[in-house]
Amino acid sequence: VTGYIAHTPLGITRAAGSAWDAGDRIGLYALPHDDTTTPIEDGSNVCYVLTDTPGPTNGSIYKIFTTSTPITLPDDGSFIDVYGYYPYSDLATPTTVAVNLSTQDPQKNIDLMTTGKVSTTTQGGSTPISIANPECQLLFYHRLTKLVFNLDLSEIGTVGTVTLTIGSQRTTATYNIYNDEFTCSGDANQTITATVGTTTSSYDKTFEAIVLPNDAINNSAADRTVTIVVDGRSYTFTIAASGASSSTKVITSSFDAGKKYVYNVKVYPFTIEVDTEKYTEQW
C-alpha cells in the first residue's frame, strides 16, 4: 500500500504544515468489488503504518505503508475495493469515524482524510486489485475545512498575548467511510480556539482552525463571530453566510469540504479592518 495526499505540493504537506511523519497510521477496509456490506476476511479497519522515509527527496511521492496483519486477498482471484482513512482509530462503530474538533492542537490529530472507493492498483488505472495484483495507490483527500487568519498587528505598539476564536460552530460529528457523509451532533454554538500557525514576527501572526463543512448533515451555514484578543483588548468581525461585506464583515456562504479559506485582518488600537477579498484554495 502506498499513500499520497491530494492537492498539496509533492503530497508532503498536511494540516500540521509538515511532511508525513514516520509512524503515521492509516486504516484500511477491503471489500468485494461494488459491495459495501461486509469486508473480506481480515479486511476490516486494518492499521497500516508509514515505514517509508518521509519527504520529497525519497523517490516517489507515494509513500509506503506496511502492517503486521496484512489483508489476504481472495484465492479465487476476485476483485476487491479498498477504502482508506487517516488518522487511524480503533473504531467503536465499524466504518464510522468519530470527529471531535474541540481541541485543535496538534492539528494532524483531527485532520480527517479519506480515499473513497479505490478499485484499481493505480489511481486512474485499469488493473483491478486482486491476488494477482495486490498493490494499490491510495490518494487521500481532506474531508474537513481549514480556516486561516493572517493578522497584521503593525499598528499596535507592543504585542504580547494574542488569541483568536470562531463562534457558532459544531465540533462533534460522525463520518461514514463508505458513503463519504458527515452527520453532526451536539451544540451548534460551540467556540473553537484557533491554533497558532506560521508566525514571521510579533506583528504578523497567523492562526489556523479546522472546522466541519456545511454540507454535513445538521450543519447548515450561519453567521460566525470571530473574536481576536490582543493583550486583553477584544475585537470582533463576522464571517457571514449572506449579505454585504464591510470592514468588519466578510461573506462566505459556505465552508466546503477540502477547501481552505484565508482571511487577512489589520488590527488597529481600537478597531480592525477585514480584507473583504478573502481567497479560497483547494486544501
Side-chain angles (χ1 to χ4, degrees):
V1 172
T2 56
Y4 169 56
I5 305 171
H7 303 307
T8 54
L10 290 178
I12 62 167
T13 57
R14 60 160 184 258
S18 62
W20 282 108
D21 296 323
D24 271 350
R25 304 190 301 166
I26 59 175
L28 262 61
Y29 288 83
L31 294 96
H33 182 52
D34 288 339
D35 180 358
T36 57
T37 304
T38 305
I40 64 174
E41 186 177 359
D42 300 324
S44 179
N45 197 28
V46 181
C47 180
Y48 277 70
V49 182
L50 180 70
T51 54
D52 200 358
T53 303
T57 60
N58 186 39
S60 173
I61 56 179
Y62 281 89
K63 300 305 173 187
I64 299 170
F65 289 78
T66 60
T67 182
S68 59
T69 56
I71 298 170
T72 302
L73 303 184
D75 288 335
D76 62 5
S78 56
F79 303 149
I80 67 161
D81 298 329
V82 173
Y83 294 79
Y85 76 96
Y86 168 91
Y88 172 81
S89 176
D90 186 11
L91 302 180
T93 304
T95 76
T96 301
V97 178
V99 177
N100 189 328
L101 305 180
S102 57
T103 299
Q104 292 276 314
D105 192 15
Q107 281 194 331
K108 70 175 186 177
N109 289 353
I110 58 171
D111 178 18
L112 177 66
M113 297 187 292
T114 66
T115 65
K117 181 172 75 173
V118 179
S119 300
T120 56
T121 57
T122 58
Q123 293 293 323
S126 59
T127 304
I129 303 169
S130 69
I131 194 170
N133 301 286
E135 299 179 3
C136 64
Q137 292 181 349
L138 300 178
L139 183 60
F140 286 84
Y141 292 87
H142 295 280
R143 299 305 185 188
L144 295 164
T145 303
K146 188 173 184 181
L147 308 181
V148 177
F149 301 90
N150 297 318
L151 305 186
D152 178 353
L153 301 160
S154 59
E155 297 294 329
I156 304 294
T158 301
V159 177
T161 303
V162 183
T163 61
L164 186 146
T165 58
I166 307 104
S168 302
Q169 295 296 309
R170 291 188 188 273
T171 58
T172 56
T174 56
Y175 176 86
N176 187 295
I177 295 170
Y178 291 168
N179 64 18
D180 183 27
E181 185 176 78
F182 281 104
T183 300
C184 295
S185 59
D187 187 353
N189 295 307
Q190 296 295 304
T191 297
I192 288 176
T193 299
T195 188
V196 177
T198 303
T199 298
T200 56
S201 74
S202 61
Y203 296 113
D204 293 290
K205 294 187 181 297
T206 297
F207 288 84
E208 301 177 356
I210 293 175
V211 300
L212 289 161
N214 288 131
D215 63 358
I217 296 173
N218 301 327
N219 194 42
S220 57
D223 290 357
R224 311 104 175 165
T225 298
V226 178
T227 302
I228 303 166
V229 179
V230 181
D231 294 328
R233 179 171 291 171
S234 181
Y235 309 82
T236 63
F237 73 92
T238 303
I239 300 176
S242 61
S245 300
S246 70
S247 61
T248 57
K249 183 178 180 180
V250 60
I251 308 303
T252 306
S253 60
S254 176
F255 290 153
D256 295 338
K259 289 189 176 180
K260 178 167 66 175
Y261 298 84
V262 181
Y263 303 90
N264 298 313
V265 184
K266 190 171 183 65
V267 182
Y268 296 91
F270 298 102
T271 188
I272 60 173
E273 183 178 351
V274 183
D275 185 352
T276 57
E277 296 300 319
K278 63 97 176 55
Y279 68 90
T280 306
E281 61 186 36
Q282 205 70 42
W283 175 36

